[in-house]
Amino acid sequence: MKSILWFRRDLRITDSAILSYAKDEVLPIFIFDKNILSKLSFDDKRVTFIYQSVLKLKEQLKSLGLDLAIFYGTPTEVFTNLKTKAFDEVLVSVDFDDYAKKRDKEISQIIPLKRFTDCFILNPKNHLKKDDTPYKVFTPFYKALHEIWQSDKIEEYETSKSLKKIEFDYDYIPSLQDMGFEKQELVDFLNKSADELILDFEDKIDEYKDARDLFYKNGTSNLAVHLRFGLISPRELFNKIKKLKATSDQKEFYIRELFWREFYNYILFHNPKSEFENYNKIEVNWSQNEDDFLAWCEGNTGVPLIDAAMREFNKTGTMHNRLRMIVSSYLTKNLLIDWKKGEEYFASKLLDYEASSNIGSWQWAASTGADAVPYFRIFNPYLQSAKFDKQALFIKSVIPQLKDVNPKQIHTENGVQSDIFLAYPKQKVSIEFSRKRAIEEFKRANNEKN
C-alpha cells in the first residue's frame, strides 16, 4: 500500500485519523492552496499562523520517522503530478463547505480519496431523529448526544506503528514571500501551544460561564484558532477539559459550546444551500446602502461599542463571542443589511474562521437560520455595553478619543455626539427607529399579520 496523507486542517500528529488508518509507505503532504490564498490580502494573519504551524507539523512528523512535503499550487496541479508516482490512495479529513466538496470530488477523480470525519466529534450523517430526519434545533440535538458529553472520555486515534517514509524531496519549503505574503505579528495567545492555553484556562474556567460575556476581560479559552486548524482535535480538547480541576457545571458549560460547533457543521452538511441562502427560505428586503455597510466594516457607525468591536477586529482578526452577536445583530437588524455581506467580511479577517460556524452564527443573528434568535429580539448595543462593560474599559482601550469620557455618556445613545469637542461620528441610524423597521420587515417576510 502506497498512500498520500493530505494534512489540511488537522495540523497535528496526536489523535489523527489519517495517521491511524494509514499503512505501509506514506507521503505526508501539505498544500498551500492557490485557490484559497489568491483571495487573501498580503497581510492576512492566518497565513502566518498556518505557515508556522505547518513547519511545526513537519518537525513533529520527523519525530515519528516521517516528514512533510510542502507544496504551493492548486490541489489539481499537485495531485496530477503525484499521480505519476503510482499512489494507491489519498487519506484526508473531510470538510463540508462548498469549495471543500468540489475540491475533493475533483481530486478523487485523479487519485482515490479515503475520507475521515476528524475535524469534528460527530459524523453528521449518523446522528438523526427517530424519523430519520436531521435535527433542526440545538437543544434536542444536544440532549440526544448525552451519552457522549456526559462521558469522561472520548476514544482517540492511535498512530499506526507500521508507517514507512517514502523517498521524496522534503527539502522544498516555499517562503511567505514566495506566496505573496508578509510575515505578521500575531496576538500573544497564538504563540502558545494548545496545551499551554488549556493550562492557562484551568486558572479561569470556574468563572467561565459569567466571565465569557465580559468583553473587557480575557475570560475565554483562546483555543478557537487551534481547534479550527486542528492543532488540537475536538476529542482531545473534550478529554482535557474533562480532566481540569473545576466544577462539573463550568466544564459542561464549555463543552456545550463545543457542541454548538458540532451543530453548525451538522446543519451545513444537511443543508448545503444554507451557505449561500437563508436557511428558513424567507425573503428579506435587505438594505443596499453601501455607505452604511462600509461604516460598519470600518467601525464608524457612531455607536461606540460597535465601532470599538470592529476596529479591534480589523486590527487583530479576533472578536469576543458576545461582541460577534452584537455587531451581527446591528448589521442585520439595525442597518438591515444582508447577513451574507457580514459573513463574507468576517471570512476575510477572522482568525478562527470556520465556514459552518460562521455561516450558522450569522444566520442565527439574522433570524434566518436554524434555531435562530427570534427576529424581535434585537440587541441594543448601548444596553449591552452598560451591562457587560460598565466602566467602558474595552471601548476606551480601543478608542482613545473616548478615554476621558464618562462611561454613562458612552452607554447613552448619542451621548458622545453631544460633546462638541469630541467630533465623534454621527449615528448611522436611530436604535429605536431601526428596531421597529426591522421588526416590521421581518413580520412581512414571515407573512405575519399585525
Side-chain angles (χ1 to χ4, degrees), residues 177-195:
Q177 290 72 26
D178 291 338
M179 298 186 290
F181 294 90
E182 292 182 3
K183 184 177 180 180
Q184 300 298 302
E185 184 176 344
L186 301 176
V187 289
D188 290 342
F189 70 83
L190 290 184
N191 294 312
K192 293 187 175 185
S193 69
D195 283 341

Side-chain angles (χ1 to χ4, degrees), residues 323-379:
L323 289 178
R324 296 187 197 194
M325 294 190 290
I326 296 167
V327 300
S328 53
S329 174
Y330 184 83
L331 183 72
T332 59
K333 302 293 177 55
N334 298 101
L335 297 181
L336 205 60
I337 289 174
D338 194 340
W339 64 268
K340 292 187 284 295
K341 292 175 71 71
E343 195 279 333
E344 184 178 8
Y345 190 73
F346 267 36
S348 72
K349 294 181 179 292
L350 196 61
L351 291 181
D352 63 359
Y353 173 76
E354 186 166 67
S356 56
S357 292
N358 203 50
I359 292 162
S361 296
W362 271 96
Q363 291 233 42
W364 178 90
S367 302
T368 61
D371 202 7
V373 63
Y375 67 79
F376 47 83
R377 280 183 54 198
I378 301 173
F379 285 106

